[in-house]
Amino acid sequence: MYDTGRAITLSDAAVVSATSGLVHNDKVRKAKVGFFDKAHWISQICLHYGCLANRDLWQYDIAEMQGTQFSTYEAGDFFNWHRDSAPGADQPHAAPTPPRRVVTVIIMLSDGGSYEGGDFMLRDASHAELIDPAFRARGSVVAFPSCVLHQVSRMVSGHRAGVVGWLMGR
């Protein structure tokens, strides 16, 4: 999976602005990214794990896989606290609306001992920061509702790579 990701063209990561669409903002995010379409085998692995977690935990009405992002972080790179979907997206079976990101799936491709910093963190409803050493293990899969705040802390050294996929639904 890592070699497949490294073979695609990577560019500076962008963030979504409500007024300007996709923009580069080094105060919010600094990383390199490339994308696989939703039919790619890596996207299908994310879809599989996301559907398993969704079936057991949230029961969103999954419509499709959006696609998958291969991300790399080097010293100084980060992604500040953000959501992959708007608040309120955590309400399964809501009134008919266009599909939106409802489940985010992350697969860690780097060995957590090969880099310093770059911790993946979640923030719960009480705003407590959740960090688990298991998130750093190569091959670990983390799935969560896309409306949950999360971040990748600033990298100190080394190289961190992972795959992020988004399941679309209601």
Side-chain angles (χ1 to χ4, degrees):
M1 198 178 290
Y2 177 80
D3 291 338
T4 302
R6 292 297 290 178
I8 62 175
T9 301
L10 301 179
S11 58
D12 291 336
V15 294
V16 177
S17 162
T19 56
S20 305
L22 286 177
V23 296
H24 296 280
N25 184 339
D26 285 349
K27 293 180 180 178
V28 176
R29 184 180 194 189
K30 187 170 183 295
K32 297 283 188 191
V33 297
F35 294 90
F36 300 106
D37 68 39
K38 61 186 173 185
H40 194 278
W41 66 268
I42 291 176
S43 296
Q44 293 302 302
I45 290 172
C46 288
L47 177 63
H48 171 76
Y49 283 112
C51 284
L52 287 175
N54 182 62
R55 180 194 67 204
D56 292 344
L57 300 170
W58 310 295
Q59 295 85 44
Y60 292 109
D61 180 13
I62 302 298
E64 65 180 337
M65 185 74 196
Q66 180 181 21
T68 306
Q69 174 183 273
F70 176 79
S71 305
T72 64
Y73 293 82
E74 306 289 341
D77 291 355
F78 65 95
F79 195 171
N80 279 337
W81 290 106
H82 66 284
R83 292 179 171 92
D84 293 338
S85 186
D90 59 343
Q91 301 301 314
H93 312 296
T97 58
R100 60 182 167 196
R101 291 177 177 174
V102 292
V103 177
T104 299
V105 178
I106 299 173
I107 303 174
M108 179 53 63
L109 302 180
S110 298
D111 175 7
S114 69
Y115 61 91
E116 191 176 344
D119 289 307
F120 173 73
M121 303 165 72
L122 295 164
R123 189 173 281 167
D124 70 13
S126 71
H127 298 288
E129 294 178 3
L130 307 172
I131 183 168
D132 188 324
F135 294 164
R136 293 178 71 92
R138 179 183 300 156
S140 64
V141 177
V142 180
F144 56 95
S146 299
C147 62
V148 171
L149 280 167
H150 58 286
Q151 77 164 354
V152 174
S153 67
R154 189 172 299 275
M155 288 282 293
V156 175
S157 64
H159 174 83
R160 178 190 190 277
V163 168
V164 182
W166 300 278
L167 281 67
M168 306 293 287
R170 294 175 190 84

